[in-house]
């Protein structure tokens, strides 16, 4: 079996590549051309995967790539994924996260309609939530240009399924994290901050809205659900979540406590980090995925935050050692 992953250099792409290799897949990854290669998350598997250049903005590159590789499955994980940036670059976010999905679906439609397709949809589509908890049937009310673009990506996937019979699945994944999470997202920002404070490299951590609540899971668990969706008889949409939510304040407390620190001494609120429109509370109900896919999360929130703090402490200690 051959799988093509867009966004393979990202958090989820690296976890999914590992997972598919363990299943015996030949794994191909699409990467953007860059003057400096940033393969930190996939360096450990670089000899086992095949990287090919392409871009979500370039229709022909997608067609050529699919023609050349002839994948059985294609996972579209590439995106401008940071919500605040979507207010700074709303048009580019739409090009990547909305129209980019159509470009891939068009390439599949033209080259081989039998390729199974996974679209990385998001709980940000629920935004100003219309019910608690959120399921596959909850109406969308996105609160950022990112969320709006993801709603488009979701519906174009459903539309190509219904219009052309393409096996397109939309995974509505709630926040998921790992030591490979980008440093700008709140979990990693906090665990990186804890490590630096613990080692005396920093004395304050500035955050935005501490009251926002998220349903946080572990990325390693969530990528399995992507694969399971494409192994079913029929394509469908699935909510993937833990069913437990925590506030940013809870996150901060767990992270600082795991390093033996009192968060109240170090955390300060910076109003500039508060978003123009916030998603206050997300809580997913993954019953459908549990029953149909047999999927369930394994790593708890507390275990994951501890894992991230330990990773960041080890990383900072390594950097300090190299400086000596
Ligand atoms: P991430 O770490 O930010 O990775 C994004 C990936 O997309 C990177 O590999 C990036 O490549 C690539 N990319 C961006 N623009 C591209 C373009 N124009 N052409 C080709 N590649 C491009 O994101 P993630 O956390 O792994 O998330 C994976 C997907 O799931 C994203 O679509 C995200 O929106 C969605 N999602 C994430 C979560 C979550 O909690 N993590 C939840 C729901 C949905 P470079 O390395 O070149 O920048
Ligand atoms: O923010 C609050 C912030 O940036 C979480 C992406 O993967 O998940 C992610 O989007 C919450 C928000 O993730 C800071 O206001 C407080 O309420 O970690 P985040 P996100 O915006 O939920 C969804 C499912 C995706 O699809 C996205 O791609 O934390 N918060 N203070 C902060 N957030 C950040 N980043 N930085 C702060 O200082």
């Amino acid at each position: 079996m051959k799988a093509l992953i867009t966004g393979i250099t990202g958090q989820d792409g690296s976890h999914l590549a590992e997972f598919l290799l363990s299943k015996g897949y030949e794994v191909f990854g699409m990467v953007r051309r860059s003057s400096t290669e940033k393969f930190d998350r996939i360096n450990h598997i670089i000899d086992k995967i095949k990287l090919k250049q392409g871009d979500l903005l370039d229709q022909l590159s997608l067609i050529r790539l699919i023609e050349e590789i002839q994948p059985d499955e294609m996972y579209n994980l590439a995106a401008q994924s940071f919500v605040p940036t979507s207010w700074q670059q709303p048009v580019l976010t739409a090009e990547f996260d909305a129209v980019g999905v159509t470009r891939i679906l068009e390439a599949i439609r033209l080259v081989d309609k039998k390729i199974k397709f996974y679209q990385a949809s998001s709980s940000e589509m629920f935004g100003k939530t219309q019910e608690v908890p959120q399921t596959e049937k909850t109406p969308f009310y996105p609160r950022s240009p990112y969320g709006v673009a993801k709603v488009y990506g979701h519906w174009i996937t459903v539309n190509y399924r219904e219009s052309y019979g393409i096996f397109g699945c939309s995974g509505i994944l709630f926040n998921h994290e790992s030591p490979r999470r980008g440093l700008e997202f709140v979990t990693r920002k906090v665990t990186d901050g804890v490590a630096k404070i613990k080692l005396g490299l920093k004395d304050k951590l500035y955050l935005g809205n501490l009251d926002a609540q998220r349903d946080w899971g572990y990325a390693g668990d969530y990528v399995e659900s992507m694969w399971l969706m494409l192994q079913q008889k029929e394509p469908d949409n699935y909510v993937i979540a833990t069913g437990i939510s925590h506030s940013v304040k809870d996150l901060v407390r767990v992270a600082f406590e795991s390093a033996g620190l009192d968060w109240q001494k170090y955390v300060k609120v910076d109003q500039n980090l508060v978003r123009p429109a916030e998603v206050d509370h997300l809580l997913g109900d993954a019953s459908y995925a549990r029953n149909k896919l047999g999927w369930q999360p394994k790593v708890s929130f507390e275990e994951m935050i501890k894992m991230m703090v330990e990773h960041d402490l080890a990383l900072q200690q390594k950097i300090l050692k190299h400086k000596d």
Side-chain angles (χ1 to χ4, degrees), residues 81-83 122-124 146 173-175 181 184-187 189 206-209 212 214 216 248 273 275 278-279:
S81 72
F82 190 46
V83 172
S122 164
S123 52
E124 281 294 299
Y146 170 82
L173 273 54
F174 282 59
N175 299 51
R181 187 57 142 154
E184 68 273 47
F185 298 92
V186 75
T187 52
K189 183 173 172 180
Y206 291 93
L207 296 173
N209 177 11
R214 289 290 183 277
W216 275 295
V248 173
L273 294 168
R275 299 176 181 186
E278 178 63 286
V279 171

Side-chain angles (χ1 to χ4, degrees), residues 10-30:
Q11 171 188 256
D12 289 9
S14 64
H15 279 287
L16 180 65
E18 275 171 10
F19 177 82
L20 293 176
L21 286 171
S22 78
K23 291 271 171 205
Y25 277 68
E26 196 177 349
V27 176
F28 295 83
M30 186 181 92

Side-chain angles (χ1 to χ4, degrees), residues 141-190:
Y141 193 140
R143 293 272 279 171
S144 64
Y146 170 82
V148 174
K150 283 286 177 181
V151 171
Y152 176 105
H154 168 84
W155 281 116
I156 201 72
T157 302
V158 173
N159 182 260
Y160 271 56
R161 183 198 298 163
E162 294 175 357
S163 305
Y164 304 115
I166 286 174
F167 193 109
C169 291
S170 172
I172 308 174
L173 273 54
F174 282 59
N175 299 51
H176 46 279
E177 322 292 313
S178 74
R180 295 183 203 165
R181 187 57 142 154
L183 284 165
E184 68 273 47
F185 298 92
V186 75
T187 52
R188 187 76 198 288
K189 183 173 172 180
V190 169

Side-chain angles (χ1 to χ4, degrees), residues 192-204 266 312-321 323-324:
D192 171 71
V194 166
K196 287 178 178 156
I197 289 170
K198 181 77 183 173
L199 298 173
L201 299 168
K202 184 173 173 150
D203 57 5
K204 290 277 174 289
Y266 306 100
D312 282 328
L313 270 169
L315 184 67
Q316 290 307 323
Q317 276 160 343
K318 200 169 149 193
I319 294 170
L320 280 175
K321 213 170 153 193
K323 274 190 188 152
D324 287 345

